[in-house]
Amino acid sequence: MSGLCGWLGYSHSVTENLALVRQMASPLVRFDSCKLHACASGNSALAIAAPDGRAHIYQRDGLLAVLWGRGNFLEPRLDEQAQREGIAKTLAENWRERSGGGGRGTKIFESLTGAFVCCIVDENANEVVLATDRMGTYPLSYQALAGGLIFASSTDAIRLHPSIRSEIDPQSLYNYVYFHMVPGPDTIYQRQKRLLPGEYLVYSKGGIETGKYWEMRFREDERRPFQELKQEFMEALHSSVRTAIGDDEAGAFLSGGTDSSTIAGILGEVSGQPARTYSIGFDAAGYDEMGYARIAARHFGTRHQEYYVTPEDIVSAIPQVAAVFDQPFGNSSALPAYYCAQMAKSDGLSRMLGGDGGDELFGGNVRYAKQYIFSLYEQAPLLLRQGLIEPIVFGLPGALPLIRKARSYVEQASIPMPARTETYNLLERYGRKAIFTPEFLDAVNPGYPARLLDEIYHENGTGSLINQMLAFDRKFTLADNDLPKVAKACELAGMDVAFPLISDEIVAFSLRLEPHLKLKGTKLRYFFKEALRGFLPDDIIAKQKHGFGLPFGVWLQTHKNLQDLAWDSLSDLKSRNVIRGDFIEKLLQQHLEEHAGYHGTMVWVLMMLEQWYRQRQDSPRSVIHSQA
């Protein structure tokens, strides 16, 4: 659901402003099923769309503050004021106080925690300020207009404004095929941007300034006894789950992995009753993890429900899932997440707890161990590498299995980070000239994704490889991918969602852990598992990471309706002058036969791109535009 949506302009009269706001707001109310708050004063106007009970609004003396979500303050003084007078009033008054005398009002965000988006409109200073939370839980997009700024929690809401021209950005299309999503700060549309995690925006007199009020700062040298760490961690888990529940009766996703099982167990303890848990299974070899979900459900005595997703379910849900995302989104796990949330909705619940974030805070992704192994070669003396190892590896016949493996290791280990993480990228494997039309490639910068990866990776100057990757994944894995995946899947099911494992309390705890407690050699999330040993079943702690992976490629081989949908989608995609027709033919007729699971991912990514187009019929058939 849209958190907040507004438009502010200084170049029109109040009457003209309100007319524009009403034009924008009317369809928003129908689209989001939200109540509308509108205000006008002086030469400005603002419309706020937000669900009942989720928007905190304060307005007085030319100052308007709106916070949507669940926010609070770290400073005891501000926290006490917020409890007495409301968080919006506290935000507004302290913004004004800190802005006085030439100070920076944006300093107030350093004390603001929780999952939120917010805006402050200071008419006396002719300023609008936007901010999103530290982990980027909720999106906030914006676009400057002549004499004004429009901002919203989705690009679709911005497109409703009568002055907006929604031209698709070819660079963002290229980025989508590369990343399988459109990474921030870009959106799928030209001239539209979105805030990054922990970022604010100041709009003043037609100018836009963005900055960071919070970044991940690791304290790698802080050493504390294990039992002390464990006690603090368990307290933080209980506090975070309790906050995430709020006043609602919440259920939990349960994949049978470490994170979801932890949330399910803590939820039962915090609520004082058996947790309601929901799992998805697949009748496909190598994809079904229901056995582990059942182990966790039995261990914690949850009220557990299961559903086996079928190929026909996928056919039915694909258009709906494509429609709920405001940009092309190619993570197929959104579909099982949707069916999970739908079960909870049928049970009468209104909120789900997701286990996302544990891997990216405590070192749980397999690629962390893999990159650690590659880093060992980097640490070897240059003389040893170039004078001995490489001449032997590349001088002997490559047909020998051991030499072939050694050669592959050396080749990958010689690629600097973060480019090394993309050695299996599908776009790079196929080759951009094989995928995209020449006309499309003329309109994009193929080097942009690598440049963006490198820029984000080197933003954090931490001394350890594992923490460098964790800071990197805060953006690309969480804010750009996993959080919108689950949030939008829940939105489609009519559910709210909270993510206890990325609470500010747990994030702060993870930043103080020594690097080797996250990745000990090749042992993933070492501290997390050891701290929960005895709480979680041993089978859960020992299991390999899997999640809600969808057997799309496997089913595509045998299920006719799924084949028809994919073939029809990709056939229509040819006419958009983005993807080469001969690549689509080869993908469907040759590559899928070679390895359905591997190449099925690209079929999914392109199919969801076409399905996204179809939900927005006003999008032009040709998307080749010059860069703004």
Side-chain angles (χ1 to χ4, degrees):
M1 298 179 182
S2 280
L4 54 87
C5 174
W7 179 82
L8 179 77
Y10 293 105
S11 61
H12 302 288
S13 69
V14 173
T15 302
E16 289 171 329
N17 274 327
L18 287 175
L20 286 171
V21 168
R22 291 191 184 101
Q23 289 179 53
M24 177 186 71
S26 181
L28 274 178
V29 176
R30 294 197 300 268
F31 181 79
D32 291 317
S33 300
C34 302
K35 287 190 174 180
L36 178 70
H37 170 86
C39 66
S41 179
N43 289 325
S44 66
L46 181 70
I48 300 296
D52 290 339
R54 299 296 300 278
H56 306 270
I57 302 172
Y58 174 80
Q59 182 189 12
R60 185 174 180 180
D61 299 331
L63 190 65
L64 171 71
V66 181
L67 183 139
W68 185 85
R70 295 176 290 272
N72 51 66
F73 289 98
L74 285 173
E75 293 181 38
R77 175 182 67 86
L78 298 181
D79 184 55
E80 292 173 5
Q81 181 184 353
Q83 292 183 30
R84 292 193 315 268
E85 303 175 1
I87 190 168
K89 182 179 180 181
T90 304
L91 181 63
E93 291 184 349
N94 283 274
W95 157 267
R96 177 161 284 175
E97 176 184 318
R98 295 177 191 228
S99 297
R104 293 292 293 178
T106 51
K107 296 285 287 184
I108 186 64
F109 299 130
E110 296 177 10
S111 181
L112 194 57
T113 70
F116 65 87
V117 288
C118 68
C119 77
I120 300 171
V121 180
D122 188 341
E123 295 184 8
N124 298 323
N126 277 354
E127 284 188 343
V128 179
V129 184
L130 310 175
T132 188
D133 67 71
R134 299 177 178 191
M135 301 304 287
T137 312
Y138 300 117
L140 192 58
S141 300
Y142 61 91
Q143 182 170 344
L145 300 173
L149 178 76
I150 181 169
F151 55 93
S153 53
S154 76
T155 61
D156 284 337
I158 290 178
R159 292 174 68 236
L160 293 173
H161 193 281
S163 298
I164 292 294
R165 292 182 60 199
S166 301
E167 293 182 334
I168 293 175
D169 186 358
Q171 184 66 57
S172 292
L173 282 178
Y174 185 92
N175 297 347
Y176 165 74
V177 178
Y178 188 98
F179 292 105
H180 306 172
M181 48 76 180
V182 180
D186 301 312
T187 72
I188 193 62
Y189 299 109
Q190 292 187 14
R191 295 175 291 278
Q192 278 191 37
K193 298 293 181 181
R194 68 179 185 265
L195 291 184
L196 297 176
E199 192 172 54
Y200 67 82
L201 175 150
V202 178
Y203 175 85
S204 179
K205 300 175 183 176
I208 290 177
E209 171 197 345
T210 60
K212 295 179 180 178
Y213 67 85
W214 187 86
E215 297 181 76
M216 295 183 84
R217 295 299 181 200
F218 297 92
R219 293 158 60 177
E220 299 187 329
D221 298 326
E222 185 173 304
R223 293 171 173 81
R224 290 190 292 162
F226 176 83
Q227 287 301 323
E228 180 182 322
L229 289 171
K230 177 179 177 179
Q231 180 178 349
E232 182 181 341
F233 179 55
M234 295 304 293
E235 290 174 355
L237 281 175
H238 283 80
S239 172
S240 298
V241 170
R242 190 177 297 110
T243 300
I245 296 171
D247 297 327
D248 299 321
E249 183 180 0
F253 292 98
L254 183 58
S255 68
T258 310
D259 289 331
S260 64
S261 300
T262 299
I263 295 300
I266 299 293
L267 176 58
E269 291 188 351
V270 167
S271 64
Q273 57 186 354
R276 294 193 180 190
T277 55
Y278 303 87
S279 297
I280 291 298
F282 308 103
D283 187 13
Y287 287 86
D288 188 36
E289 293 283 293
M290 193 68 84
Y292 286 104
R294 290 168 181 164
I295 289 173
R298 286 195 299 268
H299 181 78
F300 292 117
T302 71
R303 297 166 61 184
H304 187 59
Q305 290 203 45
E306 304 172 350
Y307 182 73
Y308 270 78
V309 173
T310 68
E312 203 58 44
D313 290 329
I314 302 305
V315 173
S316 174
I318 280 173
Q320 301 176 63
V321 170
V324 79
F325 283 93
D326 59 344
Q327 311 191 87
F329 190 76
N331 189 331
S332 63
S333 296
L335 273 83
Y338 161 63
Y339 279 107
C340 229
Q342 197 176 57
M343 278 193 289
K345 181 69 173 180
S346 298
D347 268 358
L349 299 183
S350 59
R351 179 173 298 175
M352 287 286 279
L353 303 187
D356 301 83
D359 286 330
E360 292 74 28
L361 291 180
F362 295 96
N365 287 316
V366 174
R367 62 180 175 275
Y368 301 150
K370 181 179 179 180
Q371 296 306 326
Y372 165 75
I373 293 173
F374 285 136
S375 73
L376 297 178
Y377 186 74
E378 289 180 312
Q379 297 169 25
L382 184 64
L383 184 61
L384 177 63
R385 284 184 282 158
Q386 294 183 350
L388 180 62
I389 298 176
E390 292 174 14
I392 293 176
V393 168
F394 292 102
L396 292 174
L400 298 173
L402 185 60
I403 295 300
R404 192 164 58 246
K405 286 185 178 180
R407 186 174 296 177
S408 175
Y409 171 80
V410 171
E411 287 174 344
Q412 291 189 68
S414 299
I415 300 172
M417 288 289 283
R420 195 165 66 215
T421 64
E422 297 298 314
T423 54
Y424 290 96
N425 186 286
L426 278 174
L427 190 157
E428 300 288 1
R429 285 294 174 116
Y430 293 125
R432 60 180 179 269
K433 292 183 179 179
I435 296 177
F436 297 106
T437 65
E439 298 84 0
F440 178 81
L441 285 176
D442 286 343
V444 304
N445 176 8
Y448 178 81
R451 191 186 74 197
L452 180 63
L453 288 167
D454 194 67
E455 177 184 316
I456 299 300
Y457 184 79
H458 289 102
E459 273 186 346
N460 195 297
T462 179
S464 65
L465 175 66
I466 179 61
N467 281 339
Q468 198 87 1
M469 288 190 288
L470 296 182
F472 179 78
D473 278 347
R474 166 190 170 224
K475 178 194 183 304
F476 286 107
T477 301
L478 284 175
D480 286 336
N481 201 327
D482 288 348
L483 299 184
K485 173 193 71 179
V486 180
K488 286 295 185 180
C490 287
E491 178 182 329
L492 183 59
M495 296 287 290
D496 186 21
V497 64
F499 304 99
L501 290 184
I502 57 170
S503 72
D504 292 323
E505 188 175 2
I506 289 184
V507 171
F509 176 85
S510 74
L511 295 177
R512 299 195 306 273
L513 276 181
E514 296 174 72
H516 75 273
L517 292 179
K518 299 170 184 177
L519 182 67
K520 190 169 187 178
T522 58
K523 293 181 180 179
L524 300 171
R525 59 195 311 165
Y526 177 76
F527 168 80
F528 193 103
K529 290 181 177 180
E530 292 303 313
L532 291 167
R533 195 173 294 279
F535 178 76
L536 292 176
D538 289 341
D539 288 341
I540 299 295
I541 290 179
K543 80 176 286 290
Q544 297 297 310
K545 180 176 172 58
H546 187 80
F548 281 158
L550 187 70
F552 172 72
V554 175
W555 284 345
L556 195 59
Q557 293 178 300
T558 58
H559 193 272
K560 186 177 185 307
N561 288 345
L562 197 56
Q563 290 175 351
D564 290 344
L565 180 61
W567 268 240
D568 178 63
S569 298
L570 267 62
S571 177
D572 282 358
L573 185 60
K574 293 179 187 178
S575 66
R576 299 191 185 277
N577 201 28
V578 175
I579 307 297
R580 294 175 61 105
D582 57 351
F583 173 75
I584 289 176
E585 296 298 330
K586 189 174 184 179
L587 179 64
L588 295 176
Q589 296 175 11
Q590 177 183 331
H591 291 322
L592 276 179
E593 294 294 326
E594 296 169 351
H595 195 309
Y598 180 79
H599 296 289
T601 300
M602 182 56 77
V603 177
W604 179 273
V605 168
L606 297 182
M607 177 183 66
M608 295 308 288
L609 174 59
E610 172 59 29
Q611 288 292 321
W612 178 83
Y613 265 115
R614 291 183 182 184
Q615 309 308 316
R616 291 147 181 85
Q617 292 299 331
D618 57 334
S619 297
R621 300 297 292 180
S622 173
V623 297
I624 307 302
H625 300 291
S626 61
Q627 292 292 335

